[in-house]
Amino acid sequence: MTAHKNDTISTGVSDFLLNCFVRYPSWQLWLSLPLSILFLLALGANTVLLITIRMEASLHEPLYYLLSLLSMLDIVLCLTVIPKVLAIFWFDLRHTSFAACFLQMYIMNSFLAMESCTFMIMAFDRYIAICHPLRYPSIITDQFVVKAATFILVRNALIPLPIPILSARLHYCWRNVIDNCICANMSVSRLACDDVTINRIYQFSIGWTLLGSDLVLIFLSYTLILRAVLRLKAEGAVAKALSTCGSHFILILFFSTILLVFILTHVAKGKVSSEVPVLLNVLHHVIPAALNPIVYGVRTQEIKQGIKRLLKKGW
């Protein structure tokens, strides 16, 4: 029995190979250009937004601090996923080490949950601003932002931590080809010789616990906001109230919609191409990151004016 176990260990793999759209090589060609444009747009737009908020004293407010946190999370998620995908498309660099794979897995799980949690805190901010405007300055303070940021980072850094640890502890006998562009937990763990039931249960449970609870609280906040807005009698008050949280709601709607479509395509595996969830997973790490600063920049007058002043100083 011991000899057999040693033979199995000796045939274990030392790295992984990412099978990224190998069944449809033409996808790599037509995806590489829009993906690289979205990547540069996400990095550029978020960097401009961060610099604008940093340089403009009028934007040193709790909501914009949270927006800065969202931009930083977007940048990290983009840098974790997209350069490797583009390297596969352009240079066929499909190999990835164990350490790099499990690190990417951890960052994707934790930072996606951080982004969801940030949206939830921002929804609470808008709820207080609309439903309790007189109490807003006393509730949403700089101290509140520090506590909220600490909660976002600690909760979502610790709870997803077992995901890569559980996957790394599995024994990978001989299969090392991941049918994905990224090191998604279930794509990696299904290659193992061991039972992966615990991995599946933990991934599923924290997904619904973290993202599910955040989305429920977000939509509860907006339900209360909508109810409060519809009660406003003053002329133009409804339009003004909706405009203060419209951009935020658009981004949350997009974030949750693409996530929902991704989950549904996984559920309906037999009815859709296996490449579709892979494509959606990649796009989910770059499209929201590119849209977030643009939507806020276009719809928020203070940010728009701040960018204009920053550009004038630059010239």
Side-chain angles (χ1 to χ4, degrees):
M1 183 70 181
T2 306
H4 175 72
K5 187 175 180 181
N6 289 338
D7 289 341
T8 306
I9 291 171
S10 66
T11 60
V13 295
S14 58
D15 61 3
F16 291 117
L17 194 69
L18 293 162
N19 245 11
C20 191
F21 303 128
V22 289
R23 294 181 197 135
Y24 304 99
S26 60
W27 285 33
Q28 295 190 8
L29 183 65
W30 67 260
L31 268 176
S32 62
L33 182 60
L35 201 60
S36 56
I37 291 170
L38 282 169
F39 175 63
L40 292 173
L41 182 63
L43 292 185
N46 280 292
T47 301
V48 168
L49 187 61
L50 283 169
I51 293 170
T52 303
I53 293 171
R54 174 70 181 85
M55 300 293 288
E56 286 294 317
S58 61
L59 298 178
H60 293 176
E61 295 179 8
L63 177 61
Y64 301 113
Y65 293 146
L66 291 170
L67 189 55
S68 297
L69 177 60
L70 188 65
S71 286
M72 287 187 279
L73 296 174
D74 282 335
I75 288 171
V76 172
L77 276 170
C78 268
L79 290 172
T80 303
V81 173
I82 306 304
K84 181 60 180 178
V85 175
L86 292 175
I88 294 170
F89 287 172
W90 292 338
F91 310 112
D92 199 35
L93 298 176
R94 296 189 293 149
H95 284 276
T96 184
S97 68
F98 268 41
C101 189
F102 294 123
L103 178 61
Q104 187 191 59
M105 185 189 296
Y106 171 68
I107 291 172
M108 288 189 301
N109 279 281
S110 61
F111 277 68
L112 191 66
M114 285 180 195
E115 193 162 282
S116 169
C117 194
T118 304
F119 277 130
M120 184 263 289
I121 299 294
M122 292 171 79
F124 176 73
D125 171 273
R126 292 300 84 197
Y127 164 73
I128 299 296
I130 302 295
C131 300
H132 304 282
L134 297 178
R135 295 178 61 197
Y136 182 85
S138 62
I139 296 174
I140 310 298
T141 60
D142 289 351
Q143 190 178 14
F144 168 83
V145 174
V146 171
K147 289 178 180 177
T150 304
F151 170 74
I152 291 167
L153 296 172
V154 172
R155 186 196 80 164
N156 301 296
L158 295 179
I159 296 178
L161 187 59
I163 292 175
I165 292 174
L166 288 169
S167 288
R169 286 171 61 85
L170 294 171
H171 183 58
Y172 299 89
C173 303
W174 54 274
R175 291 190 302 163
N176 73 329
V177 179
I178 302 169
D179 288 324
N180 208 326
C181 298
I182 56 182
C183 290
N185 178 33
M186 297 320 301
S187 297
V188 175
S189 60
R190 70 165 59 102
L191 302 177
C193 311
D194 303 333
D195 181 32
V196 296
T197 304
I198 294 174
N199 296 57
R200 290 179 185 276
I201 291 171
Y202 194 79
Q203 177 81 63
F204 180 81
S205 61
I206 73 152
W208 285 110
T209 302
L210 296 183
L211 300 183
S213 62
D214 288 345
L215 289 175
V216 167
L217 291 171
I218 285 166
F219 284 101
L220 176 63
S221 295
Y222 276 99
T223 301
L224 295 172
I225 287 171
L226 187 60
R227 191 178 71 172
V229 163
L230 293 175
R231 289 176 178 172
L232 296 174
K233 302 281 196 229
E235 187 178 345
V238 172
K240 186 178 179 182
L242 290 175
S243 69
T244 62
C245 55
S247 54
H248 182 211
F249 186 72
I250 290 168
L251 295 175
I252 290 168
L253 197 62
F254 186 83
F255 177 85
S256 56
T257 301
I258 196 168
L259 197 62
L260 182 62
V261 172
F262 170 63
I263 292 167
L264 290 175
T265 51
H266 260 292
V267 172
K269 280 181 183 176
K271 297 180 182 178
V272 296
S273 169
S274 60
E275 308 288 0
V276 173
V278 174
L279 175 62
L280 287 170
N281 207 352
V282 171
L283 293 177
H284 190 250
H285 288 87
V286 68
I287 293 180
L291 281 180
N292 287 349
I294 293 171
V295 171
Y296 269 102
V298 169
R299 291 184 59 89
T300 308
Q301 193 65 28
E302 292 84 358
I303 292 177
K304 197 189 297 184
Q305 293 299 324
I307 292 172
K308 285 179 182 177
R309 283 193 291 269
L310 192 68
L311 290 173
K312 284 179 183 177
K313 287 177 185 177
W315 287 110

